[in-house]
Amino acid sequence: MGTTKHSDASFLTILLQDQIGGLQVLYENQWVDVPPVPGALVVNIGDLLQLVSNDRFKSVEHQVLANHAGPRVSVACFFTLNFYPSTRLYGPIKELLSEDHPPLYRETSLQNFSAHYDGKGLDGNSALTRFKWQRQQ
Ligand SMILES: O=C(O)CCC(=O)C(=O)O
Ligand SMILES: [Fe+2]
């Protein structure tokens, strides 16, 4: 199964790919293959880590090409908490903010973030845009 271009809603995602491959990450505007390495895990930064780190960590855009080399199995483990009912708000970590580093995102509950992410679908646009402060230059 392939996927269109997206970044994950999680804080981190850990992936175990089989030997078929097909995962690509967008790096400097180029799609780069992530070759399967036996026994290796792929760790991807997700949108929520980008939000709480105020862009110090950037979520990685990736896609999976469905080729015809056979059935492909991958195991994805998404590190997030949105399945636990909580009204806790997540925003840029205060210690990372200063006059030179103002908050780039509004606070959001994880439920609200994932509802927006899921509602939007994998349309190629970042779910983070909705939570960005609009600043006047
Ligand atoms: O199948 C993969 O290797 C990645 C799948 C993926 O990007 C996802 O489930 O978010
Ligand atoms: Fe993904």
Side-chain angles (χ1 to χ4, degrees), residues 1 3 6 8 13 15 17 23 44 62 64 72 74 76 78:
M1 194 187 75
T3 68
H6 68 282
D8 295 343
T13 303
L15 286 172
Q17 298 194 81
L23 177 65
N44 282 340
H62 55 284
V64 178
R72 173 180 184 274
S74 80
F78 299 100

Side-chain angles (χ1 to χ4, degrees), residues 27-113:
Y27 179 69
E28 295 181 345
N29 270 328
Q30 307 261 7
W31 286 110
V32 179
D33 288 325
V34 181
V37 175
L41 298 168
V42 176
V43 181
N44 282 340
I45 291 172
D47 287 346
L48 284 167
L49 189 52
Q50 178 166 343
L51 185 145
V52 298
S53 75
N54 209 39
D55 276 2
R56 290 208 189 184
F57 294 106
K58 296 278 184 73
S59 59
V60 65
E61 291 195 290
H62 55 284
Q63 65 181 9
V64 178
L65 298 183
N67 56 29
H68 302 286
R72 173 180 184 274
V73 177
S74 80
V75 181
C77 183
F78 299 100
F79 285 78
T80 185
L81 290 166
N82 56 300
F83 296 116
Y84 294 91
S86 164
T87 53
R88 182 176 167 173
L89 295 178
Y90 288 78
I93 293 168
K94 304 279 181 293
E95 285 79 358
L96 299 177
L97 304 179
S98 64
E99 217 164 294
D100 291 341
H101 296 98
L104 300 174
Y105 301 98
R106 294 188 281 117
E107 292 189 323
T108 174
S109 69
L110 298 185
Q111 274 75 15
N112 186 29
F113 185 83

